Amino acid sequence: RVNLVERGGGSVQAGGSLRLSCEASELTASTSTMGWFRQVSGNEREGLAVIDADGYTTYGDSVKGRFTISRDNAKNTLYLEMNNLKPEDTAMYYCAADPSDVATLYTPQFQWDYWGQGTQVTVSS
């Protein structure tokens, strides 16, 4: 059974940094498209960053230049380095995986095969 486990959320002041991780089991991260999303209660889930099997990355406009997605194939783990955090970055953060490596940042949520349980990020002003 595929499992994605996010870690690294927490509370930080504006301007600070956090690094999220998403460890995959029963799924090969290096051959999958993987992505980071976030959701504020009552809002739609927002795509933040995606990395495909070739290592090509795409970022949403709200995080471009501040967040960096990366992957450690040996650890089968996805990361999201978040810098210069703002209060509006407060949300539940999720990772997702598409083993068929066709998803993009704009692929609807229901077409991503696997999701983690989420980790909360809170940024105070």
Side-chain angles (χ1 to χ4, degrees), residues 8-20 38 66-67 80-91 93 119-125:
S11 297
V12 64
Q13 289 192 326
S17 299
L18 283 173
R19 187 174 82 152
L20 306 182
R38 68 185 178 192
R66 299 189 299 124
F67 291 11
L80 185 68
E81 183 75 34
M82 305 186 294
N83 297 315
N84 190 22
L85 283 162
K86 305 175 182 180
E88 51 264 42
D89 293 319
T90 296
Y93 284 68
T119 186
Q120 177 68 36
V121 172
T122 301
V123 184
S124 58
S125 57

Side-chain angles (χ1 to χ4, degrees), residues 8-39:
S11 297
V12 64
Q13 289 192 326
S17 299
L18 283 173
R19 187 174 82 152
L20 306 182
S21 65
C22 171
E23 184 175 1
S25 57
E26 303 301 322
L27 174 143
T28 304
S30 63
T31 60
S32 303
T33 290
M34 300 191 73
W36 286 101
F37 299 76
R38 68 185 178 192
Q39 187 171 24

